[in-house]
Amino acid sequence: MKSYDQLFINGRWVAPVKGGVFETVDPSNETVLAKVAAATAEDIDLAVKAARCAFDNGPWPRMSGAERGAVLRRIAKGIRDRLPELAEIEVRDNGKPLPEALWDLGDAAGCFEFYAGLAEQLDENAEQPVTLSDDRFSSVARKEPVGVAGAIIPWNFPMLMAAWKIAPALAAGCTMVLKPSELTPLSALELADIASKADLPPGVLNVVTGLGKDAGAPLSEHTGIDKLAFTGSVPTGSRIMQAAARDIKNISLELGGKSPFVVFDDSDVEAAVEWIMFGIFWNQGEVCSATSRVLVQRGIYERLLERLEQETRKITIGNGLDEGVMLGPLVSRGQYEKVLEAVARGKEEGARLVTGGNRPANLNKGYFMEPVVFADVPEDSWIWREEIFGPVVCIRPFDDEADAVRSANDSRFGLAAAVMSGDLERCERVARAFRAGIVWINCSQPTFTEAPWGGYKQSGIGRELGEWGLNNYLETKQITRYESEKPWGWYIK
Ligand code: NAD
């Protein structure tokens, strides 16, 4: 494995000021994958100053949207040109199956291409006339980049989460400092390399790897940052919000979830089983929008459970690089232990363990576990209410629509929700009744760069993706002109 012991600051690879490194581990065999540069407050300060200087004095915010778009398209091409190599890095750092890593990278490249298009459109629509009630004045509303953005991201989709922040921020004309998760830092460093080869001016994108407390906290507290975009857990999101409150930074937060999936008894049971499995077992269930709470109407409850158990037992578990593997290891020892504890807790709380929860017999190293189906999960139990962030689905029966909607919405989270029924009118009604930012009908999880992404309640503030994602990184300026030849009349009559 090549060396990852430098940070990308001001267009150059530099050693951290204090010279520290941390280890990232391959979760399939528990061996050290790479020693990675450990940034501290001093490095964060250098990175923010570089981004500040690039924003205040550099060409990036002053270029046309078309010029910025061309750079974004070169970054997308840089990702596509290196797909197999980057996918392998992502699998070895995160654990996910190779086909899913390839999806992520294709989506990451697509995200840069999509925002290249929006950057180009900014040349046309950055300024819009505003009709005022007083015709002595004319006015325009103008979109401008918010300034220097700090971005802090999690480990579950390392490259994709980086793309979701970098692409719209750069399209808007912002400069930025990105801190990836210490559990999966490698692909963000590769992305910095790709960006530098795409002729991104120095200082526009700075990538600093390090621990949350040593690098993330100083970034969120830095007064040189105008905007903070965070994806991660609720407790960290709350800390970030407090740090941002000190100097009133613009923030957006994409946080956790405990998303419901309501399955009515007129659904095709086979289709329901597939979407339930995909909704909670893809990416090892380490998905913020995973439909981890499933409500099944009583008429098909036992039949669906039986089919779900049969199919869940067939899932191939193993090293994500091996052909046919559908469930890789969990990302880290810490996450593995957290999920195992949640399974033990579910049993104590009286949920019926239908299948899973053990280490597969043929895998004695690595953070592997059999996917878990819990049935009859009490509504007030911890496993029903809290995010587990692993391949654990909690299921309970319901009798009627009103009760299903009540139970689905009875959560402090509101990221996603799904409904399945043969009655499309009912689906549309339930979709509108959900208190969640992303709603799927007759499916769960498909995600599109064009559509808004984000949560209600404690699942976050603001929306990523689509034009909403671009607006995250734009300020709106009012420019109003006095057109009348007559005096204003306050003093001179
Ligand atoms: P986390 O909150 O532990 O860490 C996220 C990032 O914050 C990491 O880069 C970490 O180093 C950094 N961090 C930690 N402490 C910090 C501090 N005090 N100050 C600043 N930064 C700090 O989350 P995680 O375990 O990496 O990710 C899992 C969580 O992310 C889950 O709750 C999941 O639902 C959520 N998530 C949400 C979305 C979404 O779009 N809503 C997407 C992916 C993941």
Side-chain angles (χ1 to χ4, degrees), residues 114-115 118 168 448-453 463-471:
F114 175 80
Y115 282 105
L118 290 197
F448 300 93
T449 311
E450 304 78 19
W453 181 273
R463 293 292 175 271
E464 293 195 288
L465 298 184
E467 64 191 75
W468 300 267
L470 185 69
N471 284 332

Side-chain angles (χ1 to χ4, degrees), residues 152-157 161 164 179-183 210-213 215-218 220 230-237 239-240 253-257 287-289 335 387 389 415 453-455 459 464:
I152 300 177
I153 55 171
W155 44 260
N156 55 345
F157 294 92
M161 291 296 105
W164 282 22
K179 194 207 84 68
S181 168
E182 57 271 44
L183 296 178
L211 307 187
K213 64 178 176 35
S220 62
F230 173 74
T231 299
S233 63
V234 171
T236 312
R239 256 178 247 130
I240 299 257
L253 303 173
E254 300 283 353
L255 307 177
V287 180
C288 52
S289 57
Q335 186 64 14
E387 185 178 47
F389 222 57
L415 185 57
W453 181 273
S459 291
E464 293 195 288

Side-chain angles (χ1 to χ4, degrees), residues 31 33 60 63 81 138 147 215-217 221 268-269 291 320 402 450 490:
T31 60
L33 185 57
W60 191 252
M63 279 181 186
D81 286 348
S138 66
E221 287 159 12
D268 172 350
V269 171
T291 31
E450 304 78 19
W490 181 76

Side-chain angles (χ1 to χ4, degrees), residues 2-154:
K2 67 187 199 201
S3 168
Y4 290 96
D5 57 359
Q6 293 190 319
L7 308 167
F8 186 70
I9 297 177
N10 210 16
R12 288 184 301 134
W13 292 98
V14 294
V17 172
K18 289 193 173 155
V21 288
F22 64 94
E23 291 174 344
T24 184
V25 168
D26 179 338
S28 71
N29 57 24
E30 303 176 41
T31 60
V32 174
L33 185 57
K35 289 194 190 307
V36 183
T40 56
E42 291 83 347
D43 306 294
I44 297 297
D45 190 48
L46 291 173
V48 172
K49 282 185 175 141
R52 184 85 259 163
C53 182
F55 186 79
D56 291 344
N57 311 314
W60 191 252
R62 291 155 196 92
M63 279 181 186
S64 69
E67 287 169 313
R68 287 199 299 273
V71 177
L72 294 186
R73 287 189 199 282
R74 285 201 289 276
I75 295 176
K77 181 167 184 311
I79 296 172
R80 292 199 195 278
D81 286 348
R82 292 177 54 192
L83 272 191
E85 177 209 347
L86 293 172
E88 184 178 335
I89 291 170
E90 199 82 321
V91 173
R92 295 183 73 191
D93 211 7
N94 168 276
K96 65 179 68 202
L98 185 64
E100 296 184 16
L102 286 165
W103 285 354
D104 290 1
L105 291 164
D107 285 354
C111 183
F112 279 99
E113 284 154 357
F114 175 80
Y115 282 105
L118 290 197
E120 287 151 9
Q121 287 172 28
L122 267 182
D123 289 335
E124 292 273 296
N125 62 18
E127 291 194 6
Q128 286 180 355
V130 179
T131 308
L132 303 177
S133 56
D134 185 333
D135 63 8
R136 290 173 298 169
F137 298 86
S138 66
S139 187
V140 293
R142 174 180 159 76
K143 289 179 183 166
E144 294 185 349
V146 79
V148 176
I152 300 177
I153 55 171

